[in-house]
Amino acid sequence: ICQQYRQRAENVVLMAVASSCSCLIVKFFASYVAAYVSGLHIIDPHLLIGGFDNTRFFAQFAVLVLPLLAIPIIKASSHRHFFWGLLSIFWGLLIFSGSRGAWIAAGSVIVLYFFFGSGLRQWASIQIRGVLLGFGFFLLIGEAIPLLLGMQVSNHVADRLTLNSSGRILLWEHAYTVWKQHLILGIGPMQLAG
């Protein structure tokens, strides 16, 4: 009986994840088409990947759901082709978003699981294939289609590929100093946001 409830709960979670991802993908495609039809001819990942106040929040959501999208593929469910599509497109959107931290986090886990987690190698290889398909999707929506239609891509991923820390190291040093000064009780949430 416990196994039956566990399977039912897993199905509910996977359906919720699939529904959320599907809605975000449909919204993305609608926004993508609207960017062309409106006559603006500007593709901006931050505007197209909607439903989140910040692209980083989308990246956090993506990093949470990408592992779950591989479960039906591993279990060879009857819906695995649908989940392959979701996984690949979501990887493409994550690449398109330019969220370097999410790339590093997800990539690190995939590499660790592939080389050191013998039981998780199948999951990692599915994610690697998802990344490759997603990269192809990114090249299509972020490079080929805009080039063919004469559209401009603002906030392009290539613009975000920098080797500097974007000022983060100074922020981390300041946070560390404040942490040492208020070690026991801290200073409260969002006190360093300004």
Side-chain angles (χ1 to χ4, degrees):
I1 291 176
C2 236
Q3 180 67 19
Q4 185 181 25
Y5 287 119
R6 181 176 178 260
Q7 184 63 40
R8 193 173 296 161
E10 184 178 295
N11 289 341
V12 168
V13 168
L14 288 175
M15 288 307 296
V17 167
S19 299
S20 299
C21 292
S22 297
C23 288
L24 288 169
I25 289 169
V26 167
K27 190 217 175 285
F28 171 81
F29 281 120
S31 300
Y32 195 89
V33 169
Y36 180 74
V37 173
S38 69
L40 290 176
H41 297 282
I42 296 175
I43 301 290
D44 186 348
H46 298 161
L47 297 176
L48 296 178
I49 301 173
F52 300 91
D53 288 339
N54 192 310
T55 308
R56 286 179 299 201
F57 300 146
F58 165 75
Q60 291 168 353
F61 177 75
V63 168
L64 288 172
V65 299
L66 284 168
L68 299 176
L69 292 174
I71 292 172
I73 300 167
I74 291 170
K75 291 187 171 189
S77 99
S78 59
H79 304 293
R80 70 182 174 279
H81 297 296
F82 171 71
F83 279 91
W84 265 116
L86 287 179
L87 180 73
S88 302
I89 292 172
F90 237 73
W91 268 112
L93 294 180
L94 183 60
I95 294 167
F96 192 56
S97 73
S99 300
R100 297 168 297 179
W103 300 347
I104 292 170
S108 300
V109 169
I110 291 169
V111 168
L112 286 173
Y113 280 6
F114 189 80
F115 289 110
F116 301 112
S118 60
L120 297 169
R121 191 164 287 133
Q122 182 184 13
W123 176 87
S125 61
I126 287 171
Q127 292 295 340
I128 290 169
R129 284 182 270 167
V131 168
L132 294 174
L133 290 168
F135 188 69
F137 176 71
F138 158 73
L139 290 175
L140 180 69
I141 63 168
E143 299 293 332
I145 292 175
L147 184 66
L148 290 172
L149 298 177
M151 301 176 78
Q152 174 190 353
V153 179
S154 64
N155 292 316
H156 195 280
V157 171
D159 299 338
R160 298 184 49 87
L161 296 177
T162 62
L163 296 176
N164 65 22
S165 70
S166 304
R168 287 187 176 100
I169 292 177
L170 294 174
L171 293 173
W172 295 337
E173 287 173 349
H174 178 65
Y176 178 69
T177 303
V178 171
W179 174 74
K180 286 192 313 188
Q181 293 169 350
H182 303 279
L183 189 58
I184 295 178
L185 296 177
I187 59 172
M190 299 303 290
Q191 296 301 312
L192 299 174

